[in-house]
Amino acid sequence: MTETTTVESAAEPVELRLEQYRVELTGYCYRMLGSTFEAEDAVQETFLRAWRSYDTFEGRAAFRSWLYQVATNVCVDIVNGKQRRARPMDLGPAQTADKPLGRPLPETAWIEPIPDGRVMSTENDPAATAEMRDTIRLAFIAALQHLAPKQRAVLILRDVLRWKASEVAQLLGTTVASVNSALQRARATMANAELSSAEASRPIDASQTALLALYVDAFERYDMDLLTSLLHTDAEWSMPPYELWLNTHRDIIKWCLGPGQGCRGSRLVATHANGSPAFAQYKPSADGSYTAWSLHVIEISGGLIKGICFFLDVEWLFPMFDLPLRLESEPFPVFQLASSD
């Protein structure tokens, strides 16, 4: 583990010293908690605790290490006693389009999406950025939630942030042997988790841009033949906060032309979420405007779309992505999904 390259001085106001670590601490807390809002609350609580005890810090450890220690304690306090957050695919088998949608589950049940910019620095080199994108993928975040809180912290600190075992042991107040044992168990649990093979580590290249442009065209024209031609045969189609999810072309088409018929005529606006391409969907309204409906997070594998997660809680979700809740009329933002690097 190394300190950031930002020049620090003990003479800097504590608020400025803390703010330098907001993005990376938000990424750490998000991986720990699986919730955007809880992660941001955890960072605020970390800053508050650090500010209150700053006079007693006295440089006994590196400032960054101390902040991670405080953040870990905050996250463990939040996680203890809570049910794990998940994706619809983690809760049961795929269903058919004939099954009723059912009641929405509370937001605390779900892994929440997060804008890339909230958790990833633009100053990282391309290789580091690619690795960071992999570790904020929805499937990876969901797999982390299977770990006990301290195992989760050990795996993130060792395998994601590349801390030394001795540094993690010091942070957690334990031994190197204990850290290595926890890491071994955490890796075994993660290996058994259902991680998709989405190509999140690849920058958005010409072939992926072409695939995504076809997806936009197919969805906006509601062309089911074209849409399903872009999907793997077992692509996962899920819609939090509902538990129902689909994974056959037949059921996806039946859903879109049945309960999902109101999405016909929608417009999509490109963004990024969880290291993946994403689109804000706006449904047509009777007055000619378009209303926020869902955020599509796209997983790509082998030149086709492996999964689409439609997050429907737009009242809080769109503002977090700096997206309007309403588009008044044409023209709409042009499809453009540049590399998330």
Side-chain angles (χ1 to χ4, degrees):
M1 177 195 65
T2 59
E3 289 294 314
T4 60
T5 56
T6 304
V7 176
E8 293 183 349
S9 168
E12 281 185 301
V14 62
E15 293 84 0
L16 293 180
R17 295 192 74 190
L18 293 171
E19 196 61 35
Q20 294 169 9
Y21 296 98
R22 181 176 294 278
V23 171
E24 64 175 282
L25 284 174
T26 301
Y28 176 62
C29 293
Y30 176 69
R31 294 178 182 96
M32 285 288 293
L33 301 170
S35 164
T36 307
F37 287 124
E38 286 185 351
E40 293 187 337
D41 286 347
V43 172
Q44 287 301 111
E45 178 63 20
T46 296
F47 285 177
L48 180 60
R49 292 186 190 184
W51 183 81
R52 285 174 173 168
S53 57
Y54 187 69
D55 289 342
T56 63
F57 167 58
E58 297 177 350
R60 291 190 299 271
F63 187 66
R64 179 173 180 253
S65 302
W66 178 57
L67 286 180
Y68 271 88
Q69 182 180 50
V70 176
T72 300
N73 292 335
V74 170
C75 289
V76 170
D77 288 345
I78 292 173
V79 171
N80 280 332
K82 285 192 172 185
Q83 72 175 50
R84 68 177 177 90
R85 290 177 177 267
R87 303 170 303 159
M89 294 76 73
D90 304 317
L91 301 181
Q95 303 293 336
T96 70
D98 297 319
K99 185 176 176 63
L101 190 57
R103 295 172 61 87
L105 296 184
E107 63 86 15
T108 53
W110 304 114
I111 300 294
E112 296 173 354
I114 195 164
D116 287 5
R118 297 284 183 103
V119 293
M120 290 172 51
S121 171
T122 57
E123 298 176 358
N124 289 337
D125 64 78
T129 298
E131 188 172 8
M132 286 295 103
R133 282 207 308 271
D134 269 347
T135 65
I136 58 170
R137 286 168 45 204
L138 291 171
F140 185 81
I141 299 299
L144 284 173
Q145 310 312 303
H146 289 272
L147 303 177
K150 289 197 174 178
Q151 280 188 17
R152 203 178 302 177
V154 166
L155 185 130
I156 296 168
L157 292 167
R158 291 283 283 118
D159 284 0
V160 175
L161 301 179
R162 305 301 183 190
W163 288 36
K164 297 176 181 177
S166 58
E167 294 167 334
V168 178
Q170 183 178 7
L171 181 147
L172 295 177
T174 187
T175 65
V176 169
S178 177
V179 166
N180 288 337
S181 176
L183 180 60
Q184 185 177 15
R185 294 194 303 272
R187 285 173 174 170
T189 300
M190 292 290 284
N192 291 329
E194 290 293 332
L195 290 177
S196 74
S197 58
E199 297 166 3
S201 60
R202 287 181 54 189
I204 301 297
D205 58 21
S207 64
Q208 290 188 352
T209 299
L211 174 69
L212 294 166
L214 285 172
Y215 174 76
V216 170
D217 179 50
F219 198 92
E220 291 189 340
R221 292 194 297 108
Y222 230 54
D223 182 336
M224 293 296 111
D225 289 336
L226 176 56
L227 179 63
T228 53
S229 76
L230 308 175
L231 308 178
H232 281 276
T233 55
D234 60 349
E236 297 169 342
W237 181 285
S238 58
M239 300 163 282
Y242 297 97
E243 195 170 346
L244 176 72
W245 67 282
L246 311 170
N247 77 333
T248 70
H249 289 186
R250 176 182 177 276
D251 282 308
I252 289 170
I253 292 171
K254 193 170 183 179
W255 174 267
C256 288
L257 299 181
Q261 180 69 23
C263 291
R264 187 184 291 274
S266 293
R267 296 292 182 264
L268 301 184
V269 176
T271 184
H272 290 94
N274 291 83
S276 302
F279 296 96
Q281 177 193 346
Y282 293 85
K283 284 175 60 173
S285 299
D287 63 0
S289 66
Y290 289 77
T291 304
W293 181 251
S294 72
L295 181 77
H296 306 191
V297 180
I298 311 292
E299 291 186 341
I300 299 173
S301 176
L304 292 172
I305 294 172
K306 174 67 176 175
I308 310 171
C309 191
F310 299 84
F311 290 95
L312 302 179
D313 289 330
V314 295
E315 291 295 328
W316 63 265
L317 189 56
F318 274 41
M320 183 175 65
F321 280 81
D322 295 323
L323 293 163
L325 291 173
R326 187 181 182 89
L327 297 177
E328 292 301 333
S329 61
E330 304 271 9
F332 300 99
V334 176
F335 166 72
Q336 183 177 7
L337 195 67
S339 168
S340 54
D341 291 342

